[in-house]
Amino acid sequence: MKIFFNNSCSICRSEINIYKKQGLKQLEWIDITNNKDAEIDTKKTNKDLLRRLHVKSEDKIYSGAEAFIVLWNRMPKFKLLAKILSTPVIFHIFSLMYEIVAFILYLKNRNQLRN
């Protein structure tokens, strides 16, 4: 499974570092910062990649809150969180909250975009 994240964002990097400490070998961490290969692999633009977390699992791309659920389901310490946040009503709230935070981070980091 590949996780596409913005290593240039201090908040994003801090969170991903928590997940990296889990030491799961089947996870590949890919920094999207000026990474043309990430754009090709995900079929997403640099702007799309900067806007949300993306996970590629079994040739399917997951974005945003759904990407977190897929990631957390692979991590023993986060499986309960994934189960709770993936319940229908709670997932909608989680997804909305994620989009708000992700948009704020996007605005903070949009200067990374290539023209």
Side-chain angles (χ1 to χ4, degrees):
M1 185 165 79
K2 296 180 180 180
I3 300 90
F4 299 87
F5 71 102
N6 183 0
N7 197 52
S8 297
C9 169
S10 60
I11 294 169
C12 307
R13 182 178 53 250
S14 295
E15 183 171 5
I16 293 299
N17 284 338
I18 292 168
Y19 304 144
K20 285 181 176 181
K21 288 178 183 175
Q22 304 302 306
L24 300 174
K25 302 293 184 214
Q26 72 269 28
L27 302 180
E28 182 179 352
W29 306 97
I30 300 170
D31 178 12
I32 57 98
T33 309
N34 298 317
N35 186 338
K36 197 70 171 162
D37 291 337
E39 293 175 46
I40 293 167
D41 196 12
T42 61
K43 297 179 179 63
K44 302 278 183 185
T45 66
N46 192 34
K47 181 179 177 182
D48 291 335
L49 288 171
L50 187 65
R51 179 69 179 82
R52 292 176 184 85
L53 177 80
H54 292 82
V55 169
K56 184 175 184 179
S57 179
E58 299 177 12
D59 290 324
K60 183 172 180 187
I61 303 293
Y62 300 89
S63 300
E66 188 177 27
F68 274 100
I69 299 296
V70 171
L71 174 60
W72 291 337
N73 270 317
R74 293 279 181 99
M75 307 176 93
K77 290 186 177 182
F78 291 88
K79 278 189 178 193
L80 179 60
L81 181 62
K83 185 174 183 173
I84 291 167
L85 293 178
S86 64
T87 57
V89 173
I90 295 174
F91 180 77
H92 290 297
I93 295 167
F94 168 52
S95 186
L96 177 63
M97 296 303 295
Y98 172 83
E99 289 300 323
I100 292 168
V101 171
F103 185 69
I104 292 167
L105 290 174
Y106 170 77
L107 292 176
K108 176 184 171 283
N109 295 301
R110 68 179 172 214
N111 61 332
Q112 295 176 24
L113 292 173
R114 296 182 305 271
N115 292 329

